[in-house]
């Protein structure tokens, strides 16, 4: 490929913007509840708001394996472009919604379209980057997700100045325009024939049932699914309910709690993925379990953070805990695809990550609904603290049972 040494980083830059829009468009709703309650009385119930957040996650979860299968078979460039265009159009449409049911079904459609992005994007980055730069490249891409999460926190602030309708319409339009930029500059990865032979990569598509057989006969993949899913209980819990926790614990308005909560977790996660990516790439050159150790270190940091989020009461306690959680989760998150690459061949990676998304987001949908009920019962802080125990179990499983044999898995099963 022309300018092959430069383009892998150009690809990361292009997808960074898509990642930002991906999280910003979904995150804005979490902070705009007070503004939207004026027009949607159903949102006065935290349980109904949880349903609105959860439908996106359930659809996203069940579409993730399908999107992975599609990404392993079709051109990923066009999959990413179409995905961005559709979810951005849905975001615009949300600005014109007049009933709770319309919002509900638009969130469901958004779940379908956004699910198509991550497996395609991460497998594309993994193909363009070798083992020497893979974690850092994915880490930089993930900073786009966290930046989108942080900017999404300003949804409530913008909605206060203008309206929630204009907020959805404006940011949706940005995504639609950017999808045409990707048409011009985004490229699909193509191996040379010599490289295909060297890496044992066969051009023909693999039958569906063989894909399932290869993945689910691999004990290590089951371990990856488990340790990936459990941390996403607090991972999604913080994305969807941390603004509410900040508002209630610190006794501040959502217009201030939204940006404060998302900025603290998002920017600390941004540093976590960059530092975690650099450490992981260097550690992996010296030790096959270097990426696993880096990921485990990140998980370990989230445990005291969750306890402090759940049971702390002062401004300092809550903000420090949110920063610690974000940094640790970033170190964990940046290593998931690189660790997967140590156990799964390239032609199965989008599908494999799609199933990982399924388990992670099913856990997130479950906890989002549960925490909605916790808000109504006044137990949100307690349930945040309880999640620390689940993360501890995942950490132990990861360290004891996940043992790679190669740095970059290429062999056919």
């Amino acid at each position: 490929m022309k300018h092959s040494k430069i383009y892998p980083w150009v690809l990361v830059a292009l997808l960074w913007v898509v990642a930002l829009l991906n999280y910003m468009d979904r995150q804005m709703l979490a902070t705009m509840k007070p503004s939207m309650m004026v027009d949607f009385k159903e949102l006065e119930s935290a349980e109904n708001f949880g349903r609105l957040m959860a439908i996106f996650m359930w659809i996203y979860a069940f579409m993730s394996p399908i999107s992975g299968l599609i990404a392993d078979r079709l051109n990923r460039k066009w999959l990413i472009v179409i995905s961005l265009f559709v979810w951005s159009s849905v975001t615009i449409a949300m600005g014109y919604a007049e009933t709770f049911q319309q919002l509900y079904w638009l969130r469901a459609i958004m779940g379908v379209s956004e699910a198509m992005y991550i497996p395609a994007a991460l497998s594309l980055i993994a193909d363009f980057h070798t083992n020497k730069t893979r974690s850092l490249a994915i880490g930089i891409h993930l900073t786009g997700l966290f930046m989108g999460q942080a900017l999404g926190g300003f949804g409530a602030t913008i909605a206060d100045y203008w309206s929630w309708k204009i907020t959805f319409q404006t940011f949706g339009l940005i995504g639609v325009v950017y999808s045409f930029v990707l048409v011009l500059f985004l490229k699909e990865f193509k191996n040379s024939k010599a490289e295909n032979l060297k890496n044992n990569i066969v051009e023909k598509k693999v039958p569906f049932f063989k894909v399932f057989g290869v993945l689910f006969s691999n004990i290590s993949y089951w371990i990856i699914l488990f340790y990936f899913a459990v941390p996403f209980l607090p991972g999604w819990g913080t994305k969807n309910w941390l603004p509410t926790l900040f508002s209630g614990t610190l006794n501040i308005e959502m217009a201030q709690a939204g940006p404060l909560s998302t900025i603290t977790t998002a920017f600390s996660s941004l540093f976590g993925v960059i530092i975690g990516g650099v450490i992981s790439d260097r550690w992996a050159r010296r030790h096959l379990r270097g990426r696993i150790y880096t990921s485990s270190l990140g998980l370990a940091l989230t445990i005291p953070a969750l306890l402090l989020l759940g049971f702390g009461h002062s401004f300092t306690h809550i903000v420090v805990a949110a920063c610690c959680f974000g940094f640790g989760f970033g170190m964990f998150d940046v290593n998931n695809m690189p660790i997967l690459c140590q156990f799964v061949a390239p032609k199965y990676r989008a599908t494999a990550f799609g199933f990982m998304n399924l388990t992670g987001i099913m856990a997130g949908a479950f906890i989002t609904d549960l925490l909605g009920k916790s808000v109504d019962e006044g137990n949100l802080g307690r349930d945040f603290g309880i999640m620390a125990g689940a993360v501890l179990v995942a950490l132990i499983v990861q360290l004891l049972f996940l043992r790679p044999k190669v740095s970059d898995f290429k062999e056919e099963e």
Side-chain angles (χ1 to χ4, degrees):
M1 181 178 290
K2 188 178 180 181
H3 306 307
S4 60
K5 292 183 179 180
I6 299 174
Y7 189 77
W9 295 107
V10 173
L11 172 81
V12 172
L14 289 170
L15 294 183
W16 186 92
V17 179
V18 186
L20 182 150
L21 294 170
N22 184 281
Y23 257 60
M24 183 176 67
D25 287 350
R26 74 172 75 165
Q27 184 68 27
M28 286 188 296
L29 180 63
T31 64
M32 293 200 296
K33 177 185 172 185
S35 298
M36 298 176 71
M37 280 169 50
V38 176
D39 297 299
F40 302 98
K41 298 301 182 183
E42 295 90 340
L43 295 182
E44 293 177 2
S45 164
E47 186 171 353
N48 276 338
F49 187 68
R51 286 179 54 229
L52 191 60
M53 301 296 288
I55 184 60
F56 168 86
M57 297 171 67
W58 283 116
I59 298 294
Y60 190 107
F62 284 110
M63 282 301 303
S64 289
I66 297 172
S67 68
L69 287 165
I70 293 172
D72 279 333
R73 285 161 174 74
L74 301 181
N75 187 295
R76 289 169 292 188
K77 166 186 173 174
W78 291 108
L79 191 61
I80 291 169
V81 169
I82 294 170
S83 174
L84 171 62
F85 180 85
V86 172
W87 91 60
S88 298
S89 299
V90 168
T91 302
I92 294 173
M94 288 182 70
Y96 293 97
E98 296 181 352
T99 68
F100 179 81
Q101 286 301 315
Q102 288 175 351
L103 279 179
Y104 188 83
W105 290 112
L106 285 169
R107 286 288 288 183
I109 297 171
M110 180 177 281
V112 174
S113 55
E114 288 209 1
M116 294 292 173
Y117 173 66
I118 289 292
L122 292 185
S123 65
L124 192 60
I125 293 172
D127 282 350
F128 270 100
H129 285 266
T130 66
N131 191 50
K132 294 181 180 179
T133 60
R134 188 170 287 148
S135 281
L136 179 59
I138 290 175
I140 293 172
H141 172 260
L142 287 178
T143 64
L145 298 179
F146 297 126
M147 185 65 72
Q149 180 184 345
L151 292 178
F154 284 94
T157 308
I158 297 172
D160 276 356
Y161 279 100
W162 286 289
S163 73
W164 63 269
K165 293 182 182 236
I166 291 177
T167 304
F168 279 129
Q169 292 162 7
T170 300
F171 288 113
L173 181 60
I174 292 171
V176 168
V177 172
Y178 191 70
S179 67
F180 291 99
V181 175
L182 294 184
V183 171
L184 297 177
F185 298 106
L186 194 63
K187 299 178 185 291
E188 175 60 275
F189 180 78
K190 294 181 180 179
N191 271 328
S192 66
K193 290 184 178 180
E195 192 174 350
N196 280 338
L197 291 173
K198 178 181 176 183
N199 293 332
N200 255 344
I201 300 174
V202 183
E203 291 283 341
K204 65 180 182 179
K205 305 304 179 184
V206 183
F208 286 134
F209 291 111
K210 183 177 180 182
V211 174
F212 299 147
V214 169
L215 291 179
F216 293 108
S217 63
N218 185 342
I219 299 299
S220 295
Y221 183 62
W222 283 100
I223 296 170
I224 290 173
L225 286 176
F226 176 78
Y227 94 78
F228 178 87
V230 173
F232 273 85
L233 290 169
W236 279 99
T238 56
K239 287 180 178 70
N240 292 334
W241 288 110
L242 196 58
T244 302
L245 181 69
F246 267 52
S247 179
T249 302
L250 302 179
N251 295 313
I252 57 178
E253 296 294 327
M254 185 61 79
Q256 289 78 46
L260 179 62
S261 61
T262 55
I263 287 173
T264 51
T265 53
F267 278 98
S268 56
S269 294
L270 186 151
F271 286 107
V273 296
I274 294 298
I275 294 173
V278 172
I279 292 173
S280 179
D281 282 336
R282 292 182 179 179
W283 206 341
R285 294 172 200 167
R286 301 194 302 270
H287 199 293
L288 280 177
R289 301 188 76 197
R291 300 194 189 283
I292 293 168
Y293 292 147
T294 308
S295 173
S296 298
L297 179 60
L299 279 186
L301 289 173
T302 67
I303 294 172
L306 285 169
L307 291 172
L308 198 54
L309 278 173
F311 302 109
H313 297 289
S314 73
F315 180 88
T316 301
H317 288 162
I318 299 300
V319 171
V320 168
C323 289
C324 184
F325 179 85
F327 185 85
F329 195 85
M331 291 185 69
F332 157 76
D333 206 16
V334 72
N335 283 291
N336 287 315
M337 176 57 90
I339 289 172
L340 182 69
C341 291
Q342 294 186 271
F343 296 94
V344 175
K347 65 168 62 181
Y348 307 117
R349 286 174 186 167
T351 303
F353 199 85
F355 277 103
M356 288 168 67
N357 255 352
L358 170 65
T359 58
I361 298 166
M362 282 180 65
F366 165 77
I367 202 67
T368 296
D369 186 47
L370 181 65
L371 292 179
K373 296 173 183 177
S374 295
V375 172
D376 288 335
E377 296 169 0
N379 295 324
L380 184 61
R382 181 203 66 185
D383 289 347
F384 259 87
I386 289 174
M387 287 188 286
V391 176
L392 178 60
V393 173
L395 173 62
I396 293 171
V397 169
Q398 183 187 36
L399 285 173
L400 289 181
F401 300 110
L402 203 57
R403 299 182 179 276
K405 296 179 181 178
V406 294
S407 60
D408 193 3
F409 191 83
K410 298 291 184 183
E411 296 296 325
E412 293 288 341
E413 293 290 339

